[in-house]
Amino acid sequence: MASSAQYFLLSSLLFFFFLFFSPSFAQQSFRPKALVVPVSKDASTRQYVTQIEQRTPLVPINLVVHLGGKFLWVDCDQGYVSSTYRPARCGSALCSLGGANGCGDCFSGPRPGCNNNTCGVSPDNPVTRTATGGELATDVVSVNSTNGSNPGQAVTVPRFLFSCAPTSLLEGLASGVVGMAGLGRTRAALPSQFASAFSFHRKFAICLASNGVIFFGDGPYNFLPNVQYTSQSLTFTPLFINPVSTAAASTQGEPSAEYFIGVTSIKIDDKTVPLNSTLLTIDSEGNGGTKISTVNPYTVLESSIFKAVTETFISEAAARNITTVDSVAPFDVCFSTENVLSTRLGYGVPTISLVLQNENVTWSIFGANSVVQVSDDVLCLGLVNGGSNPRTSIVIGGYQLENNLLQFDLATSRLGFSSLLFGRQTTCSNFNFTSIA
Ligand SMILES: *[C@@H]1O[C@H](CO)[C@@H](O)[C@H](O)[C@H]1NC(C)=O
Ligand SMILES: *[C@@H]1O[C@H](CO)[C@@H](O)[C@H](O)[C@H]1NC(C)=O
Ligand SMILES: *[C@@H]1O[C@H](CO)[C@@H](O)[C@H](O)[C@H]1NC(C)=O
Ligand SMILES: *[C@@H]1O[C@H](CO)[C@@H](O)[C@H](O)[C@H]1NC(C)=O
Ligand SMILES: *[C@@H]1O[C@H](CO)[C@@H](O)[C@H](O)[C@H]1NC(C)=O
Ligand SMILES: *[C@@H]1O[C@H](CO)[C@@H](O)[C@H](O)[C@H]1NC(C)=O
Ligand SMILES: *[C@@H]1O[C@H](CO)[C@@H](O)[C@H](O)[C@H]1NC(C)=O
C-alpha cells in the first residue's frame, strides 16, 4: 500500500507532467502565428509529399498533398498504433464538421478504423479516382510553428479530425506515404482546422519544388537569401466556388472543395490565343473553368484549348527560330534546344500569360514552368491534352506551380500569387529548415 507521502509525490509528479507536457496547456502558453511543413517531390510519381507527426506516441507520417482534398485521410489498417485515437461518435459535432454521410457499426474491431456507433465519410484518391468508406476519428497531430523564417517549437492539436481509410486506397500514391493531406476549402481540411485550433487567419501558402514548403497562417514568408514575401509582393485574384463536387465521391448538392480561378483569356508573347470562352466558365452542372491541382503533374487542357495553345506557342517559338522535333510522351509538342537561350526565368521560350479578372492581372508562365527538358537536346511543352469533354477545362498542374508562392485566403476567397521566385533570385527550396526551437 502506498504511503500518503508516496501518494503525494506521485500526484505532484502527475500534476507536473500535466502542467508541462499536456498539449492543451502547451497551446495556452504558446500560440503560434503560423505553422510550417516541408514538401518534397516524389521522383517517380511526381507527387508532392509532406510530413506531419500524429498519434501517441507521435510518429512522423508522410502524406501526398491534395490541394483540393476535403480532409486528412490515413491508412488505419496497417501499423496504426495510438493511445489517443478516438472514433467520432454518431451524432456528435465532429460528424457534421467532417461532413459525415452515414453512421454505423463495424464487426471486425474494435481497432482504429473499425468501431461501433461511429460516423463515416468517403476518403478519395484523385490519382486513381477511387473512393472508399472511412471511419471519422480524432487523434493528436503535431507540426512546427514558424516565425516565417525558420521552424520553431512544435505545437500540438490534441483532437485533429481525420478519416481512416483501407490500405487499398494508397494505390497509385508515392511509396512510403500513408494517406493524403487535404488542403481544400472545407472546415475539416488542414488549413481550417489549424486556423481554428490556434486562432490564426484562415490562410495558407504553398511553394512547391523538389524540396518546397507549405505554410499555414499568414506571412511574411521568408526565403534565403533574405527574400521576403508579404501581401504587398503578391498579385490577387478571386477564388471561385464550383457548385458541384469534383471529388470521386460526394453527396448531392455538395460544392467542390477545390480551388478555381477565373482565367478569361490566354496570351502567348502578347498574341491572344483564340479560345471558346464558354469553356472558361463554370456552368450550372459544374463543368468547365480553371482549377489548381497538386495531383496533376502537368497542366491539362481541354482538347480545343490544347490545340489552340500549342499552335500559337509553336508559331511564337518559330519566330525565335526554335524548331519542333518528334514528340516525347506524355507530351505532344517538343523543340530542339538549338537556338534556345537560357535566362534567369528558365529557357527563353515564349511566355504564356493567363489573363485573369482584367487585362492587367496576369499569371505569367515562363520557361522554367512551361518547358520540360527531356534530354540534352530536346525540350517539351509541359502541357497535356485532356480530351474533348473533361470535367474542368484547365487544370493547372504541379510543374506549372513550382517555384511560385501561392497564398490561399479562405476568409476573403482570393488567391495571391508571386510569379516565379527566380525573378527575385530565390526558389521554393530556399526556406531555411534549420530549427530555432
Ligand atoms: C459492435 O456491436 C456488435 C453487436 O451489436 C458486436 O457484435 C461487435 O463486436 C461490436 N463491434 C465493435 C467493434 O465493438
Ligand atoms: C520540426 O522541425 C524539425 C527540424 O526541421 C524536425 O526535425 C521535426 O521533425 C519537426 N517536427 C514536427 C512535429 O514536424
Ligand atoms: C525568426 O527567428 C530567427 C531566430 O531567432 C531570427 O533570426 C529571424 O529574424 C526571425 N524572423 C522573423 C521574421 O521574425
Ligand atoms: C464552346 O463550348 C461549349 C461548351 O463545351 C459548346 O457547347 C459550344 O458549342 C462551343 N462553341 C463553339 C463555337 O465551338
Ligand atoms: C532566325 O534565323 C534567320 C535565318 O537564319 C535569321 O535571319 C534571323 O535573324 C533569326 N532570327 C532570330 C530571332 O534569331
Ligand atoms: C490597366 O492598367 C492601365 C495602365 O496602368 C490603366 O490605364 C487601366 O485603367 C487598367 N485597367 C484596369 C481594368 O484596371
Ligand atoms: C538558417 O537559420 C539558422 C537559424 O536562424 C541560421 O543560424 C543560419 O545561418 C541560417 N542559414 C543560412 C544559410 O542563412
Side-chain angles (χ1 to χ4, degrees), residues 357-361:
Q357 63 269 38
N358 67 56
E359 287 292 310
N360 294 344
V361 183

Side-chain angles (χ1 to χ4, degrees), residues 82-412:
S82 176
S83 62
T84 43
Y85 180 92
R86 302 280 179 273
R89 291 303 172 197
C90 292
S92 67
L94 293 172
C95 297
S96 49
L97 177 62
N101 52 18
C103 196
D105 287 348
C106 180
F107 295 95
S108 61
R111 58 173 176 80
C114 182
N115 291 279
N116 277 347
N117 185 32
T118 298
C119 56
V121 288
S122 301
D124 81 319
N125 175 335
V127 176
T128 53
R129 289 206 62 80
T130 50
T132 61
E135 176 169 287
L136 204 54
T138 63
D139 207 339
V140 174
V141 159
S142 181
V143 295
N144 279 315
S145 61
T146 182
N147 69 352
S149 304
N150 296 87
Q153 75 182 74
V155 292
T156 293
V157 183
R159 283 175 294 276
F160 196 94
L161 189 66
F162 72 106
S163 169
C164 280
T167 308
S168 61
L169 200 61
L170 297 174
E171 198 194 320
L173 302 185
S175 78
V177 308
V178 296
M180 298 191 89
L183 308 181
R185 29 184 336 134
T186 64
R187 291 271 167 188
L190 279 78
S192 291
Q193 281 202 66
F194 285 135
S196 74
F198 301 112
S199 308
F200 57 59
H201 289 288
R202 286 211 298 146
K203 293 181 184 181
F204 70 100
I206 64 170
C207 205
L208 304 178
S210 45
N211 288 293
V213 57
I214 295 177
F215 302 97
F216 297 99
D218 207 353
Y221 311 118
N222 298 310
F223 295 85
L224 295 170
N226 214 359
V227 180
Q228 182 168 84
Y229 285 89
T230 62
S231 39
Q232 279 70 47
S233 33
L234 302 176
T235 303
F236 290 91
T237 196
L239 288 167
F240 293 103
I241 297 175
N242 186 326
V244 185
S245 175
T246 43
S250 64
T251 51
Q252 182 87 36
E254 181 185 331
S256 173
E258 298 200 87
Y259 297 97
F260 284 76
I261 58 170
V263 171
T264 52
S265 67
I266 300 177
K267 287 184 177 174
I268 296 178
D269 274 355
D270 296 327
K271 287 258 173 29
T272 299
V273 178
L275 298 179
N276 176 349
S277 59
T278 307
L279 294 168
L280 299 180
T281 59
I282 303 170
D283 71 16
S284 57
E285 271 107 64
N287 297 315
T290 301
K291 74 176 182 187
I292 301 171
S293 167
T294 55
V295 292
N296 288 86
Y298 303 102
T299 293
V300 184
L301 302 174
E302 181 274 341
S303 58
S304 71
I305 301 177
F306 181 82
K307 188 163 177 283
V309 166
T310 52
E311 280 172 2
T312 310
F313 194 93
I314 290 167
S315 78
E316 290 303 298
R320 300 180 184 214
N321 283 348
I322 301 171
T323 53
T324 58
V325 296
D326 287 347
S327 65
V328 178
F331 308 112
D332 282 14
V333 175
C334 299
F335 300 96
S336 161
T337 54
E338 211 185 340
N339 297 334
V340 182
L341 304 174
S342 287
T343 78
R344 199 147 59 102
L345 305 178
Y347 281 112
V349 294
T351 301
I352 303 174
S353 300
L354 306 178
V355 181
L356 299 166
Q357 63 269 38
N358 67 56
E359 287 292 310
N360 294 344
V361 183
T362 61
W363 175 333
S364 298
I365 302 173
F366 302 105
N369 293 116
S370 64
V371 289
V372 181
Q373 179 140 27
V374 297
S375 67
D376 279 353
D377 44 17
V378 178
L379 299 176
C380 296
L381 185 57
L383 305 175
V384 174
N385 188 339
S388 60
N389 265 311
R391 180 66 200 279
T392 300
S393 304
I394 300 178
V395 179
I396 302 176
Y399 192 80
Q400 278 67 41
L401 303 176
E402 286 180 12
N403 294 304
N404 286 257
L405 180 75
L406 304 184
Q407 186 195 51
F408 297 82
D409 184 337
L410 292 153
T412 62

Side-chain angles (χ1 to χ4, degrees), residues 36-38 51-54 58-60 141-145 150-156 431-437:
V36 67
V37 293
Q51 189 177 77
I52 62 171
E53 294 188 4
Q54 195 202 29
L58 288 168
V59 288
V141 159
S142 181
V143 295
N144 279 315
S145 61
N150 296 87
Q153 75 182 74
V155 292
T156 293
F431 182 74
N432 184 345
F433 270 104
T434 306
S435 176
I436 54 167

